[in-house]
Amino acid sequence: MNLIRKKRRITQDLIVGILLGIPPLVLIGILLYLLSTIIITGFSYLEPQKLFMSIIDGGYLEAILGTILLLVGGILFALPPAMATAIYLSEYASRSSRIVRAVELAINTLASIPSIVLGLFGLALFVKIMGFGISLISGWLTLSIMVLPILTRSIEEALKMVPREFREVAISLGASRWQATTDIVLPAAGPGIITGIVLGLLRVAGETAAILFTACVLTAVGIPISPLQPVISLTYYLFVLLFTSPDPTYSRAFTVASILLLIIIILDIALVVLRRLYRGHVRVYL
Amino acid sequence: MIDLEQIYTELRKFWDRLWSERNIRLLLFMATIFTIIIIFLIGLFVFMESIPTYTSGVFWETLTQLDWSPSYKHYGVLPLIFSSILVVGIALAIATPLGILSAVFITEFAPKKLRDLLESLLELLAAIPSVIYGFMGLIYLVPAIANTFGLSSGRTALAGGLVLAIMVLPTISSISTEMMRYVPQAYREVALALGATKWQTARSVVIPTARSGIVAAIILAFGRAIGETVAVLFVCGASGSFPAFPFIFEPVFPLTAVIAMYMGESVVGGELYSVLFYLGVILFLISIGINLLADYFVHKAKEKMEVGVVL
């Protein structure tokens, strides 16, 4: 009697589990199918030598270069303040202090400000008031504000994963807090910090709204030689192509989208691999 | 004769003193405070550029005019706000049940391999750039909607809502998943020991315990959706007047899309320019409010479950 009831319960659990699993899996399946269609279509339109030709000649060089430049600069500008904040929050401040609570709320708030509003801010401050114009540097500064919360939070997370004993041992051996941080905690948290940086890169690579008014102009052809010059990014170029494409098949839009998706997928795979490695890494220490 | 060695030692001393523990602490603290300051700076500068709107009397027009068409100097913001809320409402109506049920599946039912796969796929979807979602919406969804419902154009509130639903699904499901994981294992064990099925446990123990956290997830998804720009720009139709009932098959024009679309043609310092910044101020205030609300619910959820552990 009891056994029958137990059996019925197990089958019921199984059926409900399958019913719950189907909708998200089907939806994700459809999206992955559409994304792979875009990539395949995009690359079928692409002649490889065009990757290194100017947009004027029907190539994609400026867009690829612009995306890489914005990526690198945006992260580099955000890294020092993000590191400093994360170190302060995890190593120096006492966990329950009011300032920590305020900063944590501020980080979440900054993360929730729409990127188009950050774009407006960049336009007002960097482009107009500081006089950088629509340029690479305005884009870098705007993007760095955008990724600041993501970087700070993931670096802080990585630092907190380092066991407390590490610090205690270093300090008991006469190291200062700063020495314990630079010599012991940061190296131990290294893979976690790199994971955070990749997360930031993912966010910046796909951004359009924040650079729309601050960094990008469609006439920015040729290789940029100064940070005061505007650029074209893959996202911006795709945006413009969707807006004003004279071509109903969107052939160039497909190609730009597929190059962009390829970059995103590579970064995402890097993220998954790093997480795997890092988990293994921590296990060694524990 | 200059004693190089002495200068070197002096400099060295100065350098060491500069990087004393106290100064380092101060420097780190200043960087930390910078995060708070930057939010005020964002608010301040976006507001400053919008000041002409309030001083020139355009402000009242934005609240009384019922359409947005800058070429006729009609700056009604009400249809824009209505559009934003409508599109986000459609998105949440779809993504909320789907996201919560996915989270239940991930935390309560899925075997480990499937759970890991589903979570990393959801993370990949969250990383897909919004302009790609806009592109997919434009080439796949818009024609599909036009065909299905026999419309002349598929660029409607429904299209925007569906694109946003897909974009916020990872937000809702990942935060809900995290919150459900906070629910103490003992709660589940008690329910199961009393003879409940897994679904009954999820429905009457896990979801109610994690409720505040799930509410926070929905609020954060609302914030993310209302700030989304590029994805909705191409699929919503860009019509600046109030949509006719029943709304969802009409073209709309969310706040964010308006800013992205008109900034290029506005003259710096001109009337349209300041009105667009005024829209930015509205979005800024919405996002601050949303975030405070979400923060309240996250803390409520965590407190509740920490008490639970003690009991």
Side-chain angles (χ1 to χ4, degrees), chain A residues 13 101 109 128 177 275, chain B residues 21 49 123 198 291 295:
Chain A
D13 283 347
R101 177 82 185 86
T109 307
K128 242 187 82 183
R177 172 115 349 231
R275 284 225 179 104
Chain B
E21 193 67 11
E49 296 292 295
E123 199 181 34
K198 276 190 183 176
N291 189 61
D295 184 75

Side-chain angles (χ1 to χ4, degrees), chain A residues 9 12-14 16-18 20-25 27-28 31-32 34-35 37-38 41 80-81 83-89 92-94 99 101-103 105-110 112-118 120-121 123-125 128-129 145 148 152 176-179 199 202 205-209 212-213 234-236 238-240 242-243 250 253-254 256-258 260-261 264-265 268 271-272 275-276 279, chain B residues 19 21 24-25 27-29 31-36 38-39 41-43 45-46 48-49 98 101-102 104-105 109 112 114 116-118 120-125 127-136 138-140 155 166 169 192-200 220 223-224 226-230 233-234 256 259-261 263-264 268-269 273 276-277 279-281 283-284 287-288 290-292 295-296 299:
Chain A
R9 232 172 62 181
Q12 215 178 320
D13 283 347
L14 194 68
V16 175
I18 291 168
L20 280 176
I22 286 173
L25 286 171
L27 186 67
I28 291 173
L31 285 171
L32 290 181
L34 294 180
L35 287 171
T37 311
I38 288 181
T41 318
M83 278 287 234
T85 308
I87 289 174
Y88 185 80
L89 289 178
Y92 282 81
S94 66
I99 195 82
R101 177 82 185 86
V103 171
L105 184 59
I107 291 170
N108 286 338
T109 307
L110 193 55
S112 72
I113 293 176
S115 51
I116 187 104
V117 176
L118 297 181
L120 289 177
F121 168 68
L123 173 62
L125 182 60
K128 242 187 82 183
I129 294 170
I145 291 171
L148 189 63
T152 310
S176 67
R177 172 115 349 231
W178 179 243
Q179 283 168 331
L199 214 55
L202 261 176
E207 184 53 40
T208 316
L212 203 52
F213 323 131
L234 287 165
T235 50
Y236 175 75
L238 179 55
F239 177 85
V240 173
L242 293 183
F243 231 113
Y250 290 112
F254 268 108
V256 175
S258 59
L260 179 59
L261 276 172
I264 296 290
I265 289 170
D268 196 76
L271 192 67
V272 173
R275 284 225 179 104
R276 286 264 159 84
R279 259 179 222 154
Chain B
W19 292 102
E21 193 67 11
I24 288 172
R25 199 190 172 98
L27 197 69
L28 293 175
F29 181 72
T32 307
I33 296 302
F34 175 69
T35 318
I36 301 179
I38 199 99
I39 293 172
L41 287 181
I42 293 168
F45 281 102
V46 176
M48 260 171 47
E49 296 292 295
L98 208 54
L101 292 181
S102 309
V104 169
F105 178 70
F109 288 91
K112 192 176 178 312
L114 191 56
D116 288 348
L117 179 72
L118 200 53
S120 28
L121 285 177
L122 281 169
E123 199 181 34
L124 173 66
L125 290 188
I128 300 291
S130 51
V131 66
I132 299 271
Y133 279 116
F135 182 38
M136 282 163 67
L138 187 64
I139 55 173
Y140 299 123
R155 299 191 186 206
I166 291 164
L169 179 67
L192 292 172
L194 288 172
T197 59
K198 276 190 183 176
W199 170 242
Q200 286 168 330
L220 284 171
R224 232 202 110 183
I226 210 153
E228 185 48 58
T229 309
V230 204
L233 184 57
F234 302 110
T256 49
I259 299 175
M261 203 148 156
M263 190 50 87
V268 172
Y273 177 85
L276 293 177
F277 271 89
L279 299 182
V281 171
L283 279 170
F284 178 79
S287 69
I288 299 273
I290 288 285
N291 189 61
L292 289 175
D295 184 75
Y296 166 76
H299 276 266

